Amino acid sequence: MTGVEVSLRGLHRRYGSVVALDGLDLTLAPGELVALLGPSGCGKTTTLRLLAGLEDADGGQVTVAGADITHVPSNKRGMGMVFQAYSLFPHMTVRDNVAFGLKLRRAARAERDRRAMEMLELVGLTEQAGRYAHQLSGGQQQRVALARALAISPKVLLLDEPLSALDAKVRAQLRDEIRRIQLEVGTTTLFVTHDQEEALAIADRVGVMRDGRIEQLGTPTDIYSRPATSFVAEFVGLTNRLHGTVAAGSVNVRGCVLPLADPATPDGQATVLVRPEAVTVVPSGPLTGTVIAVTFLGASSRITVDLGDTTVLAQLPTSEATALPAGSAVALTIRPDPVLVA
Amino acid sequence: MAVTTPSEVGAQPVRAGRRPLLSSSRLAWTGTLPFLGYVGVFLLLPTGIVLWDAVHGSSGGFDFGAVSTLWSSSTRSYFVNSAELSAITSVLGAVLGAVLSYAVATGNPEGLIRRLYLAGSGVLAQFGGVTLAFAFLITIGPTSGLLLHAGWFYDFPQGIGLIYVYFQIPLMVLVFLPAMDGLKAQWREATETLGGSAWQFWRYVGGPLLAPAFLGAVLLLFANALSAFATIAAWENQISYVVPQQIGTALSSEVGLSSVNQADVLALGMIAVVAVVMTGYTLLQRRTTRWLR
Ligand SMILES: Nc1ncnc2c1ncn2[C@@H]1O[C@H](COP(=O)(O)OP(=O)(O)OP(=O)(O)O)[C@@H](O)[C@H]1O
Ligand SMILES: [Mg+2]
């Protein structure tokens, strides 16, 4: 089965005086996995629930494969939903949980069981088919929830922070597995998370949300390397905030002249956002300071440098960082990538 | 199922280099002593006395003659009446109380209604005896009823049954609401997105999950009605319909020791029934806590 196009247009939703969604627009291409990323309360869950039909929109339109489903009840939408945690039916075995959607559709027992086992194979849990939810680990429970959602061959797969209740190692593993399975079945998928690393790792495109709207929608590379706004830049990845002076379309930060992402930035004093990767170690350079901390990240490392009046983060290959233990004097420069002003 | 051993419960952080005064498992047992003492004095001791007296005649020797009266037709009628009254009021109270719990559970969890219900149920479930019987008498009693003059007010079981339901419903709300709250929103929503109707949710998910809690609550209400005395004594003090009334009559009659012996035998029968009912309740409750935590 191949994916279908999903489109949300001008969605509005308020709870009392709280505006949860404020004219949200989002289109998912057939088979695409879009991750919704944003701070707590920005409306991610609300977006997902509106798409699932678990919540009604105050305004706007939802279409799936070109058909307007804005007023279709959720049990007629054919969407697969995976919740944050504890959504398996505790009185049913794993197999019966997965087969439940087909039971509701009055499929024959043999057909249900066949499909359930097929789905359990997909998530690697055939041996646990006869167990109950309380006999499974958190990660296994979420796999079963995924299998249950996929068993009905949903038009769209919806996941609301499905990994947030798991510990770090299982989280990364299951994340990759969800992606593998999603590519295999080809279902258009909306994945909600507040973990930027997760969003960047799993998605075809990431939608960064703020106050009930999409602030930027783009590939992980776009979002990370070419953030459209200072909000996105600061929310995604670590960012140095450095003082600078804007003049004639470029900005001078401690002697480094950097191009501006937005040439229309007015002249004067400004706070400039610089990624740690853009800060590099040089034999001698405009910025000098003392290393105060080294964080090992694997192939690369991050050093914290005290410049006297402020600190700056720099990311560099671990091989270089090992030569710079805490206390070393170091000279830095900033790579002239286009920068955003806060 | 996770089993907590006594040593885990009693384990206390101990400063390095010092031995604990009590080994941790001993400590755990010490903690339960007041409880065991309480159970011993107020439950086991009276039960033992009742049992002892029931099987000893007035002469002091063993005498099972009194116990055999449990099967006599007059004694049996008290138990049948008790069972009838308890069954009717527990089922009725459970059904109505479950509906009320549902209304409360689906309402605003911080709302005023819920707090009023819980506070009200807490009070009303304890409401009984003379006050309750009198309250009914003046509202629907045959002579002075303000709302209606119910001719059947003194009929058994409908008259007293109505009064019993009055405290059975709030007790049901108290014991059933936690189970209702344990039904997770995700289960309903998962059913919904999988294509299920509201009816299918109750048929396949909500109903089966709540069934043990419901049955357990019926048993608890049954035991509650079975052992109630003050209310029915205030409602009718001439005729004994149910076991507790007859125990009271036997104890206060002036015939002498044989009546005391009869009271013991009736009490023994009650204890046996309540023990069976409460064992069932405990087993069902165990299942409920696993599912609806
Ligand atoms: N049922 C509700 N009643 C009242 N307010 C609500 C309700 N659901 C959501 N809100 C409000 O709407 C806003 C958006 O909520 P939403 O759950 O969509 O945020 P979110 O992005 O998923 O946040 P989180 O990362 O914390 O899950 C929040 O301010 C929230 O308080
Ligand atoms: Mg959320």
Side-chain angles (χ1 to χ4, degrees):
Chain A
M1 173 172 161
T2 49
V4 296
E5 186 183 85
V6 175
S7 144
L8 309 173
R9 275 186 228 113
L11 286 187
H12 281 271
R13 178 69 167 118
R14 51 193 307 156
Y15 297 99
S17 61
V18 178
V19 178
L21 291 184
D22 186 18
L24 177 124
D25 291 301
L26 175 65
T27 298
L28 288 79
E32 186 182 35
L33 191 157
V34 169
L36 278 186
L37 177 66
S40 189
C42 68
K44 306 181 294 292
T45 297
T46 305
T47 308
L48 199 84
R49 292 174 62 83
L50 281 180
L51 183 47
L54 294 171
E55 211 82 54
D56 288 326
D58 296 331
Q61 196 187 31
V62 180
T63 63
V64 170
D68 185 345
I69 60 158
T70 315
H71 302 292
V72 174
S74 64
N75 59 1
K76 300 278 185 300
R77 288 195 182 189
M79 307 240 167
M81 181 123 178
V82 177
F83 298 82
Q84 192 165 353
Y86 314 117
S87 71
L88 297 183
F89 305 120
H91 61 307
M92 294 182 198
T93 60
V94 163
R95 185 197 294 108
D96 289 346
N97 262 282
V98 177
F100 189 59
L102 299 176
K103 181 173 183 167
L104 295 174
R105 286 168 174 65
R106 308 194 197 301
R109 164 129 230 154
E111 161 64 12
R112 277 167 9 212
D113 285 350
R114 191 196 57 72
R115 177 71 177 163
M117 291 315 284
E118 188 182 311
M119 288 299 111
L120 286 174
E121 184 150 1
L122 191 66
V123 299
L125 284 177
T126 41
E127 288 179 9
Q128 282 76 10
R131 292 207 195 165
Y132 289 88
H134 71 271
Q135 298 168 317
L136 301 178
S137 71
Q140 290 173 328
Q141 291 184 27
Q142 290 303 75
R143 282 166 205 252
V144 176
L146 180 65
R148 181 177 68 183
L150 289 173
I152 60 168
S153 305
K155 295 196 188 80
V156 186
L157 181 61
L158 307 171
L159 305 103
D160 191 0
E161 309 208 17
L163 307 173
S164 63
L166 308 175
D167 59 46
K169 195 171 167 208
V170 181
R171 199 184 307 161
Q173 217 174 11
L174 193 50
R175 176 191 76 200
D176 295 343
E177 199 162 329
I178 290 176
R179 178 57 164 166
R180 170 186 67 77
I181 291 166
Q182 189 267 336
L183 288 171
E184 200 172 318
V185 297
T187 309
T188 310
T189 301
L190 191 61
F191 184 106
V192 163
T193 177
H194 62 254
D195 180 337
Q196 44 132 335
E197 188 191 326
E198 200 168 285
L200 296 177
I202 202 173
D204 291 307
R205 285 190 300 163
V206 176
V208 180
M209 282 190 72
R210 178 193 195 183
D211 298 341
R213 295 159 180 263
I214 303 267
E215 181 104 347
Q216 184 178 3
L217 179 66
T219 63
T221 322
D222 275 343
I223 296 286
Y224 190 81
S225 312
R226 287 175 291 281
T229 65
S230 59
F231 174 81
V232 175
E234 288 186 86
F235 191 76
V236 181
L238 284 169
T239 303
N240 291 300
R241 296 173 66 95
L242 297 171
H243 203 69
T245 314
V246 178
S250 59
V251 59
N252 187 320
V253 179
R254 304 177 93 99
C256 303
V257 178
L258 310 172
L260 284 163
D262 177 10
T265 311
D267 287 1
Q269 301 296 307
T271 301
V272 183
L273 306 175
V274 178
R275 291 274 189 226
E277 301 87 72
V279 181
T280 53
V281 176
V282 286
S284 70
L287 287 69
T288 55
T290 314
V291 177
I292 55 173
V294 183
T295 312
F296 175 65
L297 303 173
S300 62
S301 289
R302 193 181 301 131
I303 59 172
T304 311
V305 178
D306 184 358
L307 298 178
D309 56 342
T310 184
T311 60
V312 64
L313 293 172
Q315 191 163 322
L316 56 159
T318 295
S319 54
E320 287 176 34
T322 47
L324 298 168
S328 324
V330 68
L332 304 168
T333 190
I334 302 173
R335 205 167 55 210
D337 295 337
V339 292
L340 281 166
V341 166
Chain B
M1 211 172 78
V3 176
T4 316
T5 65
S7 63
E8 277 169 19
V9 172
Q12 296 286 330
V14 181
R15 242 181 288 155
R18 288 186 59 185
R19 284 200 309 132
L21 288 174
L22 291 167
S23 78
S24 52
S25 68
R26 180 107 58 82
L27 198 65
W29 276 107
T30 316
T32 63
L33 275 182
F35 175 71
L36 292 178
Y38 176 83
V39 170
V41 172
F42 291 102
L43 186 68
L44 298 180
L45 190 63
T47 308
I49 292 174
V50 164
L51 189 63
W52 175 270
D53 287 351
V55 297
H56 285 79
S58 43
S59 58
F62 266 103
D63 179 1
F64 288 94
V67 175
S68 66
T69 62
L70 267 180
W71 284 270
S72 75
S73 69
S74 66
T75 313
R76 204 165 54 213
S77 74
Y78 298 125
F79 276 97
V80 169
N81 281 343
S82 268
E84 186 188 8
L85 178 62
S86 304
I88 292 173
T89 63
S90 61
V91 169
L92 210 61
V95 170
L96 297 175
V99 172
L100 212 55
S101 305
Y102 174 75
V104 176
T106 49
N108 179 0
E110 259 97 64
L112 183 67
I113 304 262
R114 186 190 180 94
R115 275 183 288 150
L116 279 178
Y117 260 112
L118 283 181
S121 296
V123 173
L124 292 179
Q126 305 302 323
F127 195 27
V130 181
T131 358
L132 179 65
F134 183 69
F136 267 91
L137 181 66
I138 59 163
T139 42
I140 65 162
T143 49
S144 63
L146 296 173
L147 300 177
L148 69 142
H149 300 278
W152 45 268
F153 183 75
Y154 284 111
D155 291 351
F156 184 92
Q158 53 269 47
I160 185 66
L162 179 73
I163 302 178
Y164 271 30
V165 167
Y166 197 76
F167 60 72
Q168 295 282 55
I169 293 176
L171 179 63
M172 181 66 182
V173 171
L174 287 184
V175 299
F176 197 59
L177 193 59
M180 213 60 165
D181 283 338
L183 271 191
K184 297 197 170 61
Q186 292 97 297
W187 295 335
R188 177 190 285 278
E189 292 176 350
T191 306
E192 217 174 306
T193 52
L194 288 170
S197 60
W199 155 247
Q200 282 175 316
F201 170 75
W202 287 108
R203 164 88 176 74
Y204 296 117
V205 182
L209 282 173
L210 287 177
F214 183 83
L215 285 178
V218 169
L219 291 182
L220 189 74
L221 264 57
F222 185 90
N224 187 44
L226 197 67
S227 51
F229 170 66
T231 311
I232 195 164
W235 170 75
E236 170 61 72
N237 58 13
Q238 299 300 315
I239 313 162
S240 287
Y241 290 102
V242 297
V243 182
Q245 275 180 306
Q246 184 54 28
I247 294 176
T249 307
L251 284 177
S252 58
S253 83
E254 281 146 25
V255 183
L257 273 173
S258 72
S259 296
V260 174
N261 205 226
Q262 191 204 3
D264 285 321
V265 169
L266 290 171
L268 184 66
M270 285 276 288
I271 290 171
V273 175
V274 170
V276 169
V277 167
M278 293 315 286
T279 305
Y281 170 73
T282 311
L283 292 176
L284 289 163
Q285 199 61 28
R286 196 176 294 170
R287 162 143 294 184
T288 303
T289 43
R290 178 187 303 159
W291 284 349
L292 303 170
R293 214 167 353 198

